[in-house]
Amino acid sequence: MRLRLRQLIVLLLFSQLAPALPAAAEEKAIVVASTTSTQDSGLFNFILPMFKAKTGIDVRVIAQGTGQALDTGRRGDADVVFVHAKPQEEKFVADGFGVKRFAVMYNDFVLIGPKSDPAKIKGGNDVVAALQAISKTEAPFVSRGDKSGTHAAELALWKEANLDPANTKPAWYREIGQGMGAALNTAGAMGAYVLSDRGTWISFKNKGELAIVVEGDRRLFNQYGVILVNPAKHPSVKKDLGQAFIDWLVSGEGQEAIRAYKIDGQQLFFPNAGEG
Amino acid sequence: MTALELIWSGDARLFQIVGLSLFVTLSATVLAAGVGMPLGALLALSRFPGRHALIVLVNGAMGLPPVVVGLVVFLLLSRSGPLGELGILFTPQAMIIAQAILIAPIIAALTRQVIEDLWAEYRDELTAMDVAGARRVVALLWDARFSLITTLLAGFGRAAAEVGAVMIVGGNIDGFTRVMTTTIALETSKGNLPLAIGLGLVLIAVILAVNTLAWAARGWSERHVG
Amino acid sequence: MRDRSNPLPIEFQDVAYAAGNTPILNAISLAISAGPPTLLLGPNGSGKTTLLKLAMGLLTPVAGRILYASDAEVARRRCAFVFQKPVMLRRSAARNIAFALKAAARAPEAATIERLLQAVGLGGVAERPARRLSGGEQQRLALARALARDPAVLFLDEPTASLDPAATKSVEDIIVRTAARGVKIVMATHDLGQARRLAGNVVLLANGGIVEQGAATTFFQAPATAMAKQFLAGELIL
């Protein structure tokens, strides 16, 4: 093979890299750090094309646990943070990493369990009592254990039940350090209870022997907030494009788009901008 | 929808994901070869204090955990990190860099072995012809090209199969940095196990296709250029 | 400007060589001067190959020194070597020659390559992969590669040892023509007939030392030492 031909091929391959490299800053795109449960619910696939059609802005969603998403915002690797852990979000703004928190929508958590129901809690609407029953009967329970919004909600509920399995680490409490889908898979395989957001549960395709055992308790409501990462801390943040996204989410149009998203005919998210 | 249905219907997203996977991994292989092959050849041909320690290090680096490589590259490319100015975190470019770092040691270590073996055969002739330095390295690498194809395929395979590095530095962004392996991980976590397995088979088929093409190219070249 | 200094005469002064703990050559003193071909004779293991490699600079003496009329670097450039089992580069015959030309800092022009191939009778196989040539053809290509360096001295290590009579004759013809052009030939062989045909001078090696050396005619017709006589009679047992 002639030397020139070889060089040409290498050049061709590298030229694939070149066009994508420079214009990252000028692209009409933002990075939004959100959570795996929101991503898995399919909400973004539904509402983002509407936003793009209206503004031409590409929204690139990085789906992580809440803790990691906020960390991504702190580092300046995302332009907007969109999670569901109000205390952590308020701290994020108070610490100067975010500009302002806007409430967007809420969904709810449900307690999932095996059909065999060893703790005998099925059909109840008191999640705290249910958790106490699980602890008493030492029925297996899967925790996400990953600093996510769901994990934070789960820990808050154990606290209300005057229990602390995350620290006492009894054998029936299984921390897996992974996302909602993985937690449901594991719970199904182990015949264990698990706290899940309704959205992920509805679209979860591997339900097996699992079913909802407790729902409707007000303490299971899950509030979402959206925050622009502070450009004073990270000048590279695309503040105009990011703010455009936030403005759309809380506007009539965005809220209606959220309301319109359904799985199996069920609405998952309840828009409540200005309230939560 | 099963994976077969996706392929049959020419699903645009599936093809985009496969295309991106090939682009990232092939680019990473070329980049790693550009660094790893000369390095391996130099290791084979030079003698310097600490050479054996360096060889052990390079061999050991073949076992670098992908997720660790991903984490290190993430910290380097983050806006809060030393190379944040580049702004390439969560882009395919970051994925290419991470994978290239991951497989460069494999390519270097295997190249070193191939060139060392070849040098034993070529030493007298090349020395008699006054061939040294860069010319010597290029001549040996070129003559070893058939063995080195296997080295490249080893690097390619390792990169094509990994998920840890590309997940962390790419962010698995739908339509932008989502590749075959991260898609499989995602579908598994969503409980779409049949789809995940189907995609796994597609990935294996793509890797086999690349290997087949490479092997055919090698055969053709051997017959016509010798 | 191409350097035309000639490395000849090459002088060995009390040169010794050992491979690890095994001595191969002891106290060799020898002068290789311009003129007709010098042939190295001797039983297997007598050190012929080692002596050639020392002269070429591929090996370093363990004792003694080797002196060149020009400085060592120039000497390297004006010497070429043909190995008993030459290594063909994985490319065409023509590109093998181009490679040798470039390594010798000469322009790899098509005309030069063509001429070199014709000189060794390989004009018709320029584009064939070198590894697919026959044994004799590969040996001739190795010769062409060596001649591409435009050497003042050409070392050959038993170049026809593995060739059939026809191929042997082709190679010998090329060597004779090369010698006639003024290139000094230094060649090892175990073929007495070949030595008789080609030699101008003979050096007989045995037991790591020089047994006898001198003009070929003298050596073959009136050998001075008993060992030489035994060797010529095929009765040299060590």
Side-chain angles (χ1 to χ4, degrees):
Chain A
M1 214 166 157
R2 294 184 191 283
L3 200 67
R4 268 183 236 128
L5 179 57
R6 252 187 291 161
Q7 284 168 338
L8 186 66
I9 289 182
V10 172
L11 207 69
L12 268 174
L13 278 170
F14 271 102
S15 72
Q16 297 306 307
L17 277 175
L21 267 172
E26 291 91 49
E27 269 179 310
K28 235 180 154 188
I30 53 169
V31 173
V32 172
S34 185
T35 68
T36 48
S37 41
T38 325
Q39 164 92 290
D40 289 354
S41 71
L43 176 71
F44 290 126
N45 287 346
F46 185 73
I47 66 172
L48 292 182
M50 295 184 199
F51 178 65
K52 172 140 194 198
K54 176 167 183 170
T55 60
I57 301 175
D58 232 329
V59 175
R60 297 182 183 154
V61 176
I62 313 262
Q64 306 168 312
T66 301
Q68 201 183 355
L70 289 169
D71 191 56
T72 302
R74 253 177 244 120
R75 303 177 142 271
D77 290 324
D79 304 296
V80 170
V81 168
F82 186 6
V83 297
H84 46 96
K86 188 164 175 184
Q88 293 181 54
E89 294 166 45
E90 288 176 332
K91 182 167 195 301
F92 186 78
V93 175
D95 286 344
F97 293 107
V99 176
K100 185 176 156 157
R101 176 186 178 274
F102 292 85
V104 180
M105 62 201 189
Y106 69 88
N107 67 351
D108 62 333
F109 292 110
V110 289
L111 187 61
I112 305 292
K115 287 208 169 90
S116 58
D117 195 16
K120 304 271 171 279
I121 51 179
K122 191 174 165 77
N125 60 2
D126 184 340
V127 66
V128 169
L131 288 180
Q132 284 165 341
I134 289 172
S135 171
K136 201 139 176 246
T137 58
E138 296 190 351
F141 184 91
V142 170
S143 165
R144 283 184 56 175
D146 61 350
K147 283 171 59 176
S148 59
T150 309
H151 185 222
E154 180 215 315
L155 292 177
L157 290 170
W158 284 115
K159 198 163 175 205
E160 273 206 56
N162 282 323
L163 295 164
D164 193 10
N167 283 321
T168 57
K169 299 195 193 302
W172 52 265
Y173 186 75
R174 318 266 167 85
E175 278 189 340
I176 61 168
Q178 290 178 72
M180 200 65 248
L184 286 168
N185 273 331
T186 310
M190 282 183 190
Y193 292 94
V194 61
L195 186 72
S196 171
D197 62 285
R198 189 183 292 275
T200 309
W201 170 249
I202 294 177
S203 38
F204 185 65
K205 293 193 174 43
N206 198 21
K207 290 185 171 75
E209 291 288 294
L210 295 173
I212 297 178
V213 293
V214 176
E215 61 183 318
D217 188 329
R218 286 227 78 223
R219 288 169 289 204
L220 289 172
F221 278 29
N222 184 28
Q223 177 67 43
Y224 280 73
V226 67
I227 308 170
L228 178 69
V229 174
N230 192 354
K233 276 249 171 68
H234 295 284
S236 58
V237 168
K238 298 180 185 168
K239 61 182 199 298
D240 296 327
L241 300 180
Q243 191 59 48
F245 182 57
I246 294 172
D247 291 341
W248 183 80
L249 279 175
V250 303
S251 73
E253 220 184 286
Q255 297 276 288
E256 185 48 43
I258 291 170
R259 189 192 322 275
Y261 180 61
K262 290 181 173 34
I263 299 187
D264 285 351
Q266 293 183 63
Q267 181 180 348
L268 280 187
F269 298 94
F270 300 87
N272 69 343
E275 293 163 35
Chain B
M1 247 198 156
T2 67
L4 215 55
E5 285 163 356
L6 284 174
I7 299 169
W8 200 246
S9 65
D11 184 74
R13 268 175 68 207
L14 177 64
F15 279 86
Q16 191 262 336
I17 290 174
V18 171
L20 181 65
S21 309
L22 282 173
F23 170 62
V24 167
T25 300
L26 286 172
S27 304
T29 307
V30 169
L31 192 56
V35 170
M37 280 190 172
L39 175 64
L42 280 169
L43 264 180
L45 300 172
S46 343
R47 294 290 176 270
F48 52 87
R51 174 174 177 266
H52 279 286
L54 189 54
I55 290 178
V56 170
L57 207 68
V58 171
N59 285 350
M62 286 200 279
L64 273 174
V67 69
V68 172
V69 172
L71 187 55
V72 170
V73 174
F74 171 84
L75 290 171
L76 285 173
L77 296 179
S78 164
R79 288 276 178 194
S80 305
L83 301 176
E85 284 299 298
L86 295 173
I88 55 176
L89 186 61
F90 300 141
T91 67
Q93 284 65 44
M95 296 157 78
I96 292 172
I97 290 173
Q99 288 202 337
I101 293 175
L102 183 67
I103 64 177
I106 298 177
I107 294 183
L110 295 178
T111 300
R112 181 201 61 81
Q113 190 61 63
V114 166
I115 298 297
E116 212 166 273
D117 293 340
L118 202 66
W119 181 235
E121 193 193 340
Y122 280 51
R123 169 192 241 117
D124 278 343
E125 278 282 10
L126 290 184
T127 313
M129 279 198 262
D130 245 339
V131 175
R135 176 173 280 141
R136 182 172 63 171
V137 169
V138 171
L140 286 167
L141 284 174
W142 181 244
D143 261 42
R145 60 195 179 280
F146 299 127
S147 308
L148 291 177
I149 293 223
T150 304
T151 300
L152 287 177
L153 290 173
F156 172 81
R158 178 98 150 86
E162 73 88 20
V163 65
V166 288
M167 182 72 91
I168 296 183
V169 305
N172 200 14
I173 300 172
D174 192 12
F176 191 55
T177 58
R178 190 166 290 177
V179 291
M180 292 293 301
T181 49
T182 57
T183 305
I184 293 169
L186 178 65
E187 294 304 324
T188 304
S189 80
K190 281 157 74 172
N192 292 345
L193 299 182
L195 180 60
I197 289 265
L199 290 173
L201 291 174
V202 171
L203 176 59
I204 292 173
V206 168
I207 294 176
L208 273 174
V210 172
N211 273 266
T212 307
L213 272 168
W215 209 247
R218 178 200 194 277
W220 182 93
S221 179
E222 205 168 1
R223 272 192 306 279
H224 291 91
V225 183
Chain C
M1 265 313 280
R2 275 180 34 75
D3 193 327
R4 294 207 159 271
S5 295
N6 200 309
L8 296 171
I10 301 177
E11 263 189 66
F12 279 57
Q13 293 179 348
D14 272 324
V15 168
Y17 187 80
N21 287 330
T22 320
I24 299 183
L25 293 174
N26 330 310
I28 299 280
S29 290
L30 170 68
I32 300 173
S33 318
T38 298
L39 265 74
L40 302 183
L41 298 174
N44 284 339
S46 53
K48 306 192 289 292
T49 302
T50 307
L51 201 151
L52 287 173
K53 286 190 177 178
L54 282 164
M56 179 70 193
L58 292 172
L59 294 174
T60 319
V62 157
R65 3 178 240 171
I66 302 173
L67 300 172
Y68 303 88
S70 61
D71 71 57
E73 215 219 279
V74 166
R76 286 184 72 79
R77 270 190 275 129
R78 302 301 330 275
C79 295
F81 204 110
V82 176
F83 293 89
Q84 183 173 349
K85 296 225 168 74
V87 176
M88 298 289 110
L89 297 173
R90 279 188 198 276
R91 52 193 83 179
S92 68
R95 297 190 139 260
N96 263 267
I97 304 226
F99 182 82
L101 284 168
K102 279 188 273 188
R106 296 180 67 194
E109 283 160 21
T112 319
I113 297 172
E114 174 74 21
R115 184 170 47 76
L116 284 161
L117 284 172
Q118 295 281 8
V120 299
L122 290 177
V125 296
E127 294 311 313
R128 193 176 304 168
R131 294 218 169 196
R132 272 211 259 109
L133 297 172
S134 70
E137 287 171 328
Q138 289 194 5
Q139 196 61 274
R140 281 186 275 149
L141 184 59
L143 254 169
R145 265 193 333 208
L147 293 173
R149 290 171 69 75
D150 190 22
V153 186
L154 180 58
F155 297 102
L156 302 107
D157 187 7
E158 304 203 27
T160 59
S162 40
L163 303 182
D164 67 39
T168 301
K169 174 145 195 348
S170 312
V171 171
E172 281 182 15
D173 286 345
I174 300 167
I175 294 174
V176 166
R177 284 201 296 273
T178 309
R181 283 194 292 111
V183 178
K184 171 70 181 181
I185 304 287
V186 182
M187 183 164 116
T189 184
H190 65 259
D191 181 345
L192 277 182
Q194 183 171 79
R196 281 181 212 272
R197 287 190 291 276
L198 300 181
N201 309 302
V202 166
V203 175
L204 174 61
L205 291 172
N207 289 333
I210 297 180
V211 169
E212 189 171 325
Q213 56 173 307
T217 37
T218 319
F219 180 81
F220 286 114
Q221 285 160 13
T225 59
M227 251 197 200
K229 291 192 184 113
Q230 282 178 307
F231 178 73
L232 286 170
E235 287 161 9
L236 186 59
I237 298 165
L238 299 166

